[in-house]
Amino acid sequence: MEWQKYLARLRYYDRMCGNLPTVHQKIAQVQAVVKAYSRHEIPQEVPKLSFSAHYLELHMTKHPELFELVSCLNDLRQVLIENFGIWHIFSQAWLASFKQQLKPGKTLVVMCGNAALAANLSNVIAVDDFDWQAQDNTHPHPWCDVKRADALVAVQKYYQQVDNIILEWAPETTCDRAILDFLRAQKWPGDLIVIGEAKGATNSPQFWQTAKLSRPPAVNALHRPFDFIHDQVFWVK
């Protein structure tokens, strides 16, 4: 669905449920996210899409359209993927905290998608093979210069030049295990950072089985999943 049509749907439900402050707040947050990405900006906050069962039971009789709204809100991830090549939402506050946790020096971001994260980091090399172009998003519009390359090839080429490597929302069938094995074999002293859902929607089972994970509280406290996918930020050894 085109993002402009999605916003129009949200405006419709906002009119239908205009006397419910909680509904209006959620809709406003989602609208702000979509509009921010349409301008190549990072959103101020990450919306929480779900309503409690109690809330729905309380208002469903007078507002049966709430159930349609729930479905509409849950379309947010797909709308962001299809229109902007964005797979996970992070806020400006999270970005500031994340940047403080990076080692000083240069950063390589592989599988960067449209490079929303990479574009907001300094001294960065952004890489993607754009395989997803044939799937959910047919018109990549990177936020910064992105080198077209396989992730493992890029790691092997640049690892000696960088202090941080970020693996961002890798697909389930991927070279992530090979990247980890390579960096271990080289005794690379930098930080490998993975953004994804452990043993879930991202990365390979082989990767999660062997990865030694740590989750810095300062970063993950501000990295808030917005729907049913619970991605987090991991430092990996």
Side-chain angles (χ1 to χ4, degrees):
M1 179 187 298
E2 294 180 356
W3 65 269
Q4 296 92 336
K5 292 182 179 179
Y6 183 65
L7 291 182
R9 284 182 64 195
L10 291 173
R11 288 194 294 270
Y12 165 77
Y13 290 116
D14 201 20
R15 290 193 300 271
M16 295 290 288
C17 305
N19 63 331
L20 298 176
T22 299
V23 170
H24 176 73
Q25 181 185 34
K26 286 185 184 294
I27 290 176
Q29 289 175 338
V30 171
Q31 289 172 324
V33 167
V34 175
K35 290 177 181 177
Y37 283 127
S38 74
R39 299 189 298 264
H40 283 193
E41 297 174 359
I42 302 303
Q44 287 282 347
E45 60 182 342
V46 178
K48 186 176 181 180
L49 303 182
S50 61
F51 297 93
S52 69
H54 174 72
Y55 186 89
L56 293 175
E57 291 172 2
L58 191 63
H59 296 288
M60 63 181 290
T61 302
K62 190 173 181 180
H63 294 282
E65 66 275 5
L66 273 175
F67 290 101
E68 294 180 9
L69 172 60
V70 169
S71 177
C72 180
L73 292 175
N74 285 328
D75 287 338
L76 175 61
R77 183 183 293 277
Q78 193 61 28
V79 169
L80 297 181
I81 292 172
E82 291 177 1
N83 288 272
F84 308 122
I86 300 293
W87 271 261
H88 68 100
I89 301 177
F90 51 89
S91 66
Q92 293 186 20
W94 175 85
L95 177 63
S97 176
F98 180 71
K99 289 164 73 170
Q100 290 178 351
Q101 300 295 320
L102 293 178
K103 280 191 171 183
K106 202 164 191 174
T107 298
L108 171 66
V109 185
V110 295
M111 301 185 189
C112 71
N114 266 339
L117 175 58
N120 284 276
L121 303 177
S122 58
N123 205 6
V124 68
I125 302 170
V127 174
D128 198 287
D129 62 8
F130 292 108
D131 275 359
W132 50 272
Q133 181 178 349
Q135 301 169 16
D136 297 301
N137 183 305
T138 57
H139 301 288
H141 296 287
W143 292 24
C144 66
D145 179 56
V146 175
K147 300 180 186 298
R148 190 162 194 154
D150 172 79
L152 176 58
V153 171
V155 168
Q156 292 171 336
K157 180 177 180 179
Y158 295 112
Y159 79 99
Q160 291 179 310
Q161 305 174 31
V162 300
D163 303 280
N164 306 284
I165 296 176
I166 301 172
L167 186 60
E168 185 181 1
W169 253 77
E172 293 178 76
T173 303
T174 184
C175 58
D176 51 5
R177 172 66 185 271
I179 289 173
L180 180 56
D181 288 346
F182 173 79
L183 294 175
R184 285 173 170 172
Q186 302 303 317
K187 295 182 170 55
W188 181 63
D191 283 344
L192 174 62
I193 302 162
V194 172
I195 303 173
E197 185 183 38
K199 301 179 181 179
T202 70
N203 300 89
S204 66
Q206 295 80 9
F207 174 82
W208 294 121
Q209 288 167 7
T210 191
K212 298 176 182 177
L213 307 174
S214 61
R215 289 172 287 186
V219 174
N220 281 286
L222 296 171
H223 186 81
R224 190 169 104 181
F226 64 93
D227 60 8
F228 52 89
I229 295 178
H230 296 282
D231 51 343
Q232 293 180 295
V233 188
F234 301 94
W235 263 245
V236 182
K237 295 293 184 183

